[in-house]
Amino acid sequence: MGRSPCCDQDKGVKKGPWVPEEDDKLTAYIEKNGYGNWRSLPKLAGLNRCGKSCRLRWMNYLRPDIRRGEFSDEEESTIVRLHALLGNKWSKIASHLPGRTDNEIKNYWNTHMRKKMLQMGIDPITHEPRTNDLSPILDVSQILAAAIGNGQFGSSNLINNNIALEDLLKLQLIHKMLQIITPKAIPNITSSTNSLNPKLDSVVNSFTTNSVNPKPEQAAIQLNANEPHDFINQSANEDFMMPPFENIWDSFEDNQLPGLVTVSQKNLNSGTGMMPGYYGDQLSEIPSNGSISVSPETSGLNYPGTTQHLTGSDVLEDWEKFLDDETSDSCWKSFLDLTSPTSSPGPW
DNA sequence: AAAGCTCTCAACCGCAGTGGT
DNA sequence: GACCACTGCGGTTGAGAGCTT
């Protein structure tokens, strides 16, 4: 429509907070004449304001039926109900709350109720429980990052402790998977440790990219083709630094996860233990329609014991089975024990 | 006590909708 | 149907009050 703003032709009109004299003038005029033509009202009322500003002041502040003060519990629940129904239609919500203005409700929502809902774990937009609230899992990652950062992994303790390395890799794996599922909710972990030990890095890589899940010892032997290294029996005095968290994973291509890290003694011995949702060492993304289209032919890999999944729910079912499976039971039990706040202190 | 930070909310801005010509 | 005037709405801003360090 290309219309100029209402105040353009009222050059020199006052802006900003209203003073009591202005309020009095506006109130007196409207009480005597009523309101109708906001554009001409300021002149008639003797105000150096634009009509829009006068209307807003009257509607949001001076109107005699304005109700001030705290919102009652009943008003709050009405707002929540109506917001769930109408969204940010503040004027419509206000029409159900006598004496409250759209501006007041909007402000109250943005400053109080939004916060309250977030604290309750409810998404203030959808009014659904927040499914992306992964703070407990993030905490695990934070523990890991802190452990790496404060140097607890910077000693040979880790090297002499396969359990610790296993647990570390489990954490990494979970973190990476969560990043793929909800990349926005799971940020990259940045470690304060910047010096990357290429030896250990290659160990971790061979560990995690090997689809047959080698024992840590085997991985250590493969550490460097040109320079075989006794990783496990490395001297306690040798300065080993854990690679920054993200470096371990940056070596993988997008949407591609490594083969499963050894998860239990049983798996260790059998060399099995593929995670559901994997096609060999390829993880296919679950598209929005829930169906997956990766064939073993295209991936070139097909491992015994893995299922071909057609839908996202298949993958989830397999995950459930995997998590319930006694073969992985000990792995997850020890992992959960390790990360539980009530557990005895772990390797970090 | 003072400086810095956070929070609140009145007011502004731009745009969409509506009705009149 | 095109244009214009006006109203109403929702997002955003910024001054000042309150709180923390």
Side-chain angles (χ1 to χ4, degrees):
Chain A
M1 287 233 191
R3 203 170 64 79
S4 61
C6 92
C7 297
D8 266 13
Q9 58 193 79
D10 303 320
K11 287 198 175 84
V13 294
K14 194 182 167 199
K15 286 184 181 181
W18 281 61
V19 295
E21 292 75 41
E22 290 176 312
D23 282 347
D24 291 346
K25 276 185 185 175
L26 181 59
T27 307
Y29 179 85
I30 291 174
E31 277 175 354
K32 192 177 172 190
N33 305 289
Y35 58 85
N37 189 339
W38 290 107
R39 201 176 182 87
S40 59
L41 186 146
K43 213 172 208 174
L44 296 169
L47 288 161
N48 186 26
R49 293 270 182 178
C50 78
K52 216 171 177 176
S53 180
C54 292
R55 180 192 157 271
L56 203 72
R57 184 64 180 170
W58 175 257
M59 292 297 188
N60 286 342
Y61 200 82
L62 298 174
R63 242 167 58 196
D65 60 334
I66 294 273
R67 188 173 159 189
R68 303 239 148 246
E70 290 278 295
F71 279 76
S72 66
D73 290 347
E74 199 184 340
E75 284 177 311
E76 270 195 19
S77 61
T78 304
I79 294 169
V80 172
R81 256 189 308 114
L82 291 171
H83 187 270
L85 208 67
L86 305 165
N88 292 1
K89 303 285 176 196
W90 305 116
S91 62
K92 286 203 169 58
I93 293 171
S95 69
H96 290 82
L97 292 161
R100 300 294 188 182
T101 68
D102 52 355
N103 207 35
E104 198 181 5
I105 294 167
K106 179 173 60 184
N107 282 334
Y108 189 68
W109 177 269
N110 287 330
T111 56
H112 295 97
M113 297 186 70
R114 240 179 68 88
K115 228 181 276 177
K116 218 182 223 181
M117 290 179 81
L118 287 168
Q119 277 169 1
M120 290 164 71
I122 298 166
D123 188 319
I125 297 165
T126 63
H127 292 255
E128 301 280 335
R130 294 176 72 208
T131 51
N132 64 340
D133 187 1
L134 298 167
S135 45
I137 299 162
L138 280 170
D139 285 345
V140 170
S141 303
Q142 281 157 10
I143 291 166
L144 176 68
I148 293 168
N150 72 17
Q152 288 192 40
F153 281 124
S155 75
S156 58
N157 289 346
L158 167 71
I159 315 313
N160 292 325
N161 189 345
N162 290 349
I163 308 284
L165 186 55
E166 264 190 51
D167 287 326
L168 169 66
L169 292 168
K170 283 174 208 163
L171 279 168
Q172 291 169 343
L173 184 59
I174 288 171
H175 181 270
K176 193 66 181 178
M177 288 188 303
L178 288 167
Q179 272 195 323
I180 289 167
I181 296 162
T182 54
K184 283 179 186 165
I186 308 292
N188 280 322
I189 298 286
T190 49
S191 154
S192 59
T193 309
N194 288 322
S195 69
L196 168 67
N197 186 314
K199 292 175 183 175
L200 186 50
D201 193 34
S202 67
V203 171
V204 174
N205 276 333
S206 65
F207 226 110
T208 50
T209 48
N210 191 327
S211 58
V212 194
N213 301 319
K215 290 182 183 182
E217 290 87 344
Q218 292 170 335
I221 291 160
Q222 298 163 9
L223 156 124
N224 186 328
N226 300 323
E227 185 195 338
H229 188 84
D230 188 358
F231 184 70
I232 300 299
N233 298 314
Q234 173 144 3
S235 155
N237 295 325
E238 216 171 313
D239 185 26
F240 250 90
M241 298 298 284
M242 194 62 197
F245 195 70
E246 65 275 19
N247 287 340
I248 296 168
W249 292 96
D250 284 348
S251 57
F252 301 113
E253 286 175 26
D254 286 345
N255 303 326
Q256 189 175 15
L257 279 172
L260 180 63
V261 172
T262 315
V263 292
S264 68
Q265 197 55 44
K266 205 167 173 180
N267 288 341
L268 231 163
N269 295 337
S270 65
T272 61
M274 292 300 291
M275 278 195 177
Y278 281 80
Y279 297 84
D281 60 357
Q282 278 196 327
L283 173 74
S284 44
E285 266 189 324
I286 303 171
S288 52
N289 65 8
S291 64
I292 285 170
S293 57
V294 164
S295 66
E297 296 93 85
T298 53
S299 74
L301 293 159
N302 196 3
Y303 288 86
T306 61
T307 332
Q308 296 203 22
H309 302 288
L310 298 173
T311 65
S313 60
D314 288 341
V315 175
L316 291 175
E317 271 175 37
D318 276 7
W319 264 101
E320 215 171 301
K321 278 184 209 155
F322 173 80
L323 292 169
D324 289 341
D325 186 358
E326 62 165 326
T327 59
S328 56
D329 183 59
S330 62
C331 156
W332 294 105
K333 192 171 182 302
S334 66
F335 173 72
L336 291 170
D337 285 348
L338 181 74
T339 54
S340 158
T342 55
S343 69
S344 54
W348 47 73

